[in-house]
Amino acid sequence: MKYTLFTILALSGCLYGQAQDRISPFEYEKQTGYTGKNIQGLSYSEDSFNFVVLGDFGRVGDYYQRDVAREMGHATVALDAEFILSVGDNFYPDGVQSTRDYHWISSFEAIYTDPNLYRPWYVALGNHDYRGNVQAQIDYSAVSRRWNMPDRYYKKTFELENGKKLLLLVMDTNPFIKSYHKNPEKYDGIVAQDTAAQLRWLEQELANNDPSIGWKMVVGHHPLYSGGVRKESKDTKQFEQQFADLFDKYRVDAYICGHEHDLQIIKPAGRFTTQYLSGAGSEVRQSGEREGTIFAATEPGFLTFSIVNNQLIVQVVKANADGGTVLYQHFSSK
């Protein structure tokens, strides 16, 4: 009888532990005292690798920045995200002057205050960042535990649950925009950047044939394609001409960008690489469609990325004063 009772108790304890393991990260945090809210429609998958993508955000909390920041915190909890990715234009209108610029407080530290946003931020440079001191953003990596910008362009490799790796290449796309070179006073140091060296680095990293690399993603500020206000921009078309074939050649799974102040997913016919645009971190401008548009929205918000074995799930999150809502889910498989 004692053995039977012990067996029942042990089994019930095991089942309880399994039940605890099965609850979502958000439910767990709520049990332990987290006061945030969940996002309507946001899906979490067990054994997934997750991150949140933000762009074009630093406006002293104005426009929609505080709403987006609040919902980013909720998404990071709900997905147990590994990191936050910024695609640039981190400070408007003219970057930062130094690591002690008050913009760091007013547009970053005092805005992204959810405790779960104190995870690594991997940060790219936008054109507005070039209007200030780019080196100050690099140097801030030594000031903040969460801000990571080791150089103007860099790579990160992440271990996934299934033993594969995610290769993340963060570009500095600004020197490749030819129109910026006509105004070197506005874009400090743009002319001095060695685009040939960066291109060699990019191609060398993309050519890595390590069989453990399951996913290749490139991050940059400027889009290859847009259905928004820069749809017919010469800068956009030239950037596409420089990089679309290269990304297809090396089978880049995702190109992640901003610059347009909206939310877009685009994959033109015949292309391998899908572009994910997350530029609605504060200000919002009119979006639209073009050939290959999968989704487009004129809404404030961000994207979440989840890798589960051989599937990528991208969720488009709208954020406003009423809370957060998933507008669209995009699935792709290897």
Side-chain angles (χ1 to χ4, degrees):
M1 183 68 180
K2 288 182 179 179
Y3 177 77
T4 304
L5 179 60
F6 174 80
T7 303
I8 292 172
L9 290 172
L11 181 59
S12 64
C14 180
L15 292 174
Y16 175 76
Q18 290 176 355
Q20 287 294 95
D21 289 341
R22 283 197 298 270
I23 69 171
S24 71
F26 195 89
E27 290 170 326
Y28 174 79
E29 293 299 328
K30 290 297 286 185
Q31 288 180 1
T32 61
Y34 181 63
T35 59
K37 298 179 180 179
N38 210 338
I39 293 175
Q40 182 180 350
L42 190 67
S43 298
Y44 168 75
S45 299
E46 286 195 40
D47 298 325
S48 56
F49 181 92
N50 307 285
F51 59 95
V52 174
V53 179
L54 169 72
D56 304 77
F57 61 86
R59 294 182 186 271
V60 199
D62 209 331
Y63 297 75
Y64 295 99
Q65 190 184 4
R66 289 187 185 277
D67 292 335
V68 174
R70 182 193 66 242
E71 297 309 318
M72 281 177 57
H74 297 163
T76 305
V77 173
L79 297 175
D80 191 22
E82 299 289 333
F83 60 86
I84 294 92
L85 180 65
S86 166
V87 298
D89 275 5
N90 308 310
F91 300 99
Y92 286 94
D94 298 317
V96 292
Q97 183 60 33
S98 71
T99 58
R100 300 178 67 183
D101 194 311
Y102 192 69
H103 232 330
W104 289 107
I105 304 299
S106 62
S107 290
F108 181 61
E109 302 289 3
I111 305 299
Y112 302 97
T113 57
D114 189 293
N116 289 279
L117 292 177
Y118 281 81
R119 304 185 188 206
W121 287 55
Y122 297 105
V123 188
L125 290 165
N127 53 297
H128 283 269
D129 301 312
Y130 259 88
R131 298 183 189 183
N133 184 349
V134 167
Q135 188 61 45
Q137 294 202 36
I138 296 171
D139 293 345
Y140 199 71
S141 302
V143 176
S144 169
R145 291 188 65 179
R146 56 176 170 168
W147 186 271
N148 291 272
M149 186 190 290
D151 213 330
R152 293 174 189 247
Y153 55 91
Y154 57 95
K155 75 170 181 177
K156 291 292 296 182
T157 305
F158 302 93
E159 299 284 344
L160 305 178
E161 292 291 336
N162 63 355
K164 293 291 187 178
K165 297 176 183 176
L166 163 63
L167 176 63
L168 190 72
L169 301 178
V170 180
M171 292 180 63
D172 178 6
T173 59
N174 298 280
F176 293 98
I177 306 302
K178 296 177 182 178
S179 64
Y180 295 173
H181 291 251
K182 299 175 182 178
N183 198 348
E185 294 81 15
K186 185 176 182 180
Y187 300 101
D188 187 36
I190 197 85
V191 176
Q193 302 311 305
D194 189 342
T195 54
Q198 184 178 173
L199 192 57
R200 285 195 300 272
W201 165 83
L202 179 66
E203 193 155 8
Q204 180 179 343
E205 295 295 342
L206 289 176
N208 189 337
N209 58 5
D210 181 350
S212 69
I213 297 176
W215 297 86
K216 293 180 181 179
M217 299 186 184
V218 178
V219 181
H221 182 63
H222 295 84
L224 297 164
Y225 327 106
S226 178
V229 297
R230 294 184 173 93
K231 180 177 181 179
E232 302 299 333
S233 165
K234 187 175 180 180
D235 288 344
T236 303
K237 293 183 180 299
Q238 288 179 342
F239 192 75
E240 176 187 354
Q241 291 167 4
Q242 291 179 87
F243 290 103
D245 288 342
L246 181 69
F247 293 163
D248 282 354
K249 175 183 176 181
Y250 291 107
R251 302 182 73 79
V252 172
D253 298 290
Y255 176 62
I256 306 171
C257 61
H259 199 45
E260 294 280 55
H261 297 176
D262 55 24
L263 303 165
Q264 299 184 52
I265 302 174
I266 300 174
K267 185 179 181 181
R271 289 293 183 190
F272 179 85
T273 301
T274 303
Q275 175 185 280
Y276 300 92
L277 193 155
S278 180
S282 57
E283 183 190 61
V284 174
R285 290 198 294 248
Q286 186 63 41
S287 189
E289 297 187 2
R290 53 147 285 164
E291 188 276 317
T293 293
I294 297 171
F295 176 85
T298 308
E299 299 287 357
F302 53 92
L303 305 182
T304 71
F305 283 66
S306 301
I307 299 174
V308 190
N309 293 319
N310 293 322
Q311 187 175 57
L312 173 65
I313 306 167
V314 178
Q315 302 182 79
V316 182
V317 179
K318 172 186 174 181
N320 58 25
D322 298 326
T325 305
V326 172
L327 298 177
Y328 185 77
Q329 293 178 321
H330 181 252
F331 299 85
S332 61
S333 300
K334 297 290 285 184

